[in-house]
Amino acid sequence: MKVVTVVGARPQFIKAATVSRAFAHARGFDERIIHTGQHYDDNMSDVFFRELDIPPPARHLGIGSGSHGAQTGRMLEVIEQVLVEEQPGLVLVYGDTNSTLAGALAATKLHIPVAHVEAGLRSYNRRMPEEINRVLTDHMSDVLFAPTRGAAANLAGEGIDESRTHLSGDVMYDAALFYAEKAESESTILHELGLAPGEYVLATVHRAENTDEFERLDAIFYGLAATSADIPVVLPLHPRTRAALERERLLGEAEEHLMIIPPAGYLDMVTLETNARLIVTDSGGVQKEAFFYGVPCMTLRDETEWVELVELGWNRIVPPTGPEAVRDGIKLALAAGGGRPGQPYGDGHAAERIVRILANGGHR
Ligand code: UD1
Ligand code: UDP
């Protein structure tokens, strides 16, 4: 069967890496990767194809940045043309970005079946663009791969026929296991930055609610700056956040206190994660990777989709309401350490399971 995989943003390359490898090992699949171009800088895109051995995209649509409507609309128009030409038997989408929604919508309107990996995640916060993208994608999809029991239950609760939902486990866990050794042998980032294992905080920030609201951005960066008096803070800076800090004239101050580096490649990022004393983030993927590597995490949001991590005590939610809230939250998280053991994300073979179910026509 010909499968068109639509990806476009950083976390999707990582998710697709493990499933593409499973497709290559299975018989009877011809996978064609379509890159929308939502992310386009080398360190937001091509580095992942190189480091993770992802097959090069069959088509690169070069859509680039824009407002939600403009970006999604441009994607929709071009993906439709591509699907008409390619005539796949299935379109595969990942996660909750604008590329996910455009891929699923273009396929659905052409009556091409859609499979959604990382289905059923919910924040129940409709102001998040990702929440709209994931709800719509789930309700358009024919085959839904839920990473956790909670995600599968969310789908059932929304009336999605249970025969369409499969509890697959999390493909990001597969990737974390698969690439950990490669990261350890190939990354030299700790040496380059002069960091000692267990003696720094790793932070990432890119969520729209944190970059586009001045009070939250200000709270996060002054809170991190206050933390840096006690322990170094390393921050691979997402381009969206760099632009916001420049706009609000906060970048100079941030650079004085924090170890700001460009977005990291995956192997360097894994190395920074595994050796951190604490991870402070608003990323979905990074919250989980902290847990995979046994590193405590603090999440700079009002809620999380990955509720298991909070239940197990590995993750604390700290809304960035002011610099003190962020600084004090970090102090508490550093003192508290890790949580209880658990395995909510499967057995590290989610990708093979997904491909097996697709080979079986979407049946278990
Ligand atoms: C997108 C996803 C988000 C995901 C994140 C992963 C949506 C709505 N959001 O957010 O769910 O968590 O990717 O990182 O799909 N930019 C560059 N170079 C790039 C890419 C982006 O400079 O290669 C800058 C541009 O100024 C752009 C801004 O970052 O306007 C935001 O990029 P965009 O893809 O729209 O959203 P993200 O914040 O990256
Ligand atoms: N990541 C990376 N380099 C970075 C920041 C993140 O390789 O500088 C990886 C991270 O390890 C994880 C994924 O990107 O696998 C998470 O993507 P991101 O935080 O951009 O998006 P989200 O998961 O929030 O959608």
Side-chain angles (χ1 to χ4, degrees):
M1 175 170 56
K2 188 192 246 191
V3 177
V4 161
T5 295
V6 178
V7 291
R10 173 167 70 187
Q12 294 169 328
F13 310 136
I14 295 152
K15 291 166 196 170
T18 59
V19 181
S20 290
R21 185 171 311 99
F23 274 133
H25 289 155
R27 257 190 244 144
F29 286 103
D30 169 20
E31 190 198 20
R32 309 261 292 161
I33 295 178
I34 308 298
H35 187 324
T36 64
Q38 177 170 350
H39 286 174
Y40 42 86
D41 293 343
D42 183 81
N43 58 22
M44 294 294 290
S45 172
D46 292 4
V47 66
F48 299 100
F49 285 81
R50 292 194 296 273
E51 287 188 346
L52 280 65
D53 294 320
I54 307 170
R59 307 242 195 159
H60 197 297
L61 309 184
I63 299 296
S65 306
S67 66
H68 288 287
Q71 187 183 52
T72 313
R74 286 202 300 271
M75 287 178 191
L76 191 57
E77 186 173 355
V78 188
I79 294 170
E80 181 179 66
Q81 282 166 17
V82 169
L83 294 181
V84 167
E85 286 161 26
E86 295 278 349
Q87 294 288 321
L90 179 81
V91 168
L92 183 59
V93 296
Y94 291 89
D96 51 20
T97 73
N98 289 346
S99 298
T100 314
L101 176 63
L105 185 53
T108 303
K109 290 285 183 89
L110 291 169
H111 311 297
I112 301 168
V114 175
H116 184 204
V117 173
E118 206 179 80
L121 273 292
R122 295 291 181 268
S123 65
Y124 299 104
N125 173 0
R126 286 282 175 131
R127 288 185 59 81
M128 276 184 88
E130 293 84 359
E131 182 76 356
I132 309 296
N133 290 343
R134 52 172 94 102
V135 169
L136 294 176
T137 301
D138 283 340
H139 284 262
M140 280 188 279
S141 294
D142 299 276
V143 190
L144 297 95
F145 294 108
T148 62
R149 285 186 192 287
N154 291 341
L155 294 170
E158 290 175 22
I160 291 179
D161 186 341
E162 289 185 34
S163 66
R164 281 154 60 194
T165 298
H166 304 273
L167 182 61
S168 57
D170 193 323
V171 293
M172 284 196 114
Y173 183 40
D174 299 14
L177 295 175
F178 190 87
Y179 295 103
E181 239 172 69
K182 189 166 152 86
E184 199 176 337
S185 63
E186 292 184 20
S187 170
T188 55
I189 187 86
L190 293 192
H191 177 72
E192 284 163 38
L193 298 178
L195 291 168
E199 291 184 16
Y200 62 91
V201 169
L202 173 68
T204 80
V205 180
H206 75 276
R207 205 53 61 204
E209 74 218 35
N210 288 335
T211 58
D212 299 1
E213 286 179 36
F214 174 76
E215 282 73 24
R216 290 174 78 101
L217 187 71
D218 184 82
I220 291 170
F221 280 87
Y222 279 101
L224 291 175
T227 300
S228 72
D230 301 325
I231 182 166
V233 179
V234 184
L235 178 78
L237 193 58
H238 192 289
R240 172 189 205 101
T241 317
R242 173 173 286 278
L245 290 173
E246 277 171 355
R247 191 175 61 236
E248 304 296 353
R249 302 187 189 287
L250 288 169
L251 186 60
E253 180 91 8
E255 277 174 334
E256 253 174 55
H257 295 282
L258 312 176
M259 211 179 265
I260 294 188
I261 59 171
Y266 184 68
L267 302 181
D268 281 347
M269 187 64 186
V270 166
T271 304
L272 286 169
E273 288 173 340
T274 32
N275 290 288
R277 170 125 171 253
L278 174 74
I279 295 179
V280 178
T281 190
D282 60 9
S283 157
V286 174
Q287 286 176 58
K288 283 181 294 167
E289 286 166 354
F291 170 73
F292 300 152
Y293 300 126
V295 177
C297 183
M298 182 180 120
T299 296
L300 294 163
R301 285 185 45 194
D302 298 346
E303 72 281 305
T304 181
E305 299 78 18
W306 304 102
V307 289
E308 314 76 25
L309 299 174
V310 178
E311 283 155 17
L312 288 169
W314 284 96
N315 192 3
R316 303 163 158 253
I317 305 294
V318 176
T321 50
E324 301 76 21
V326 173
R327 182 201 58 201
D328 295 350
I330 294 174
K331 270 198 180 145
L332 275 175
L334 281 167
R340 293 190 306 285
Q343 209 174 8
Y345 300 110
D347 57 3
H349 296 283
E352 287 118 285
R353 198 164 291 119
I354 285 168
V355 169
R356 207 166 50 237
I357 290 166
L358 292 177
N360 203 23
H363 305 293
R364 282 177 195 95

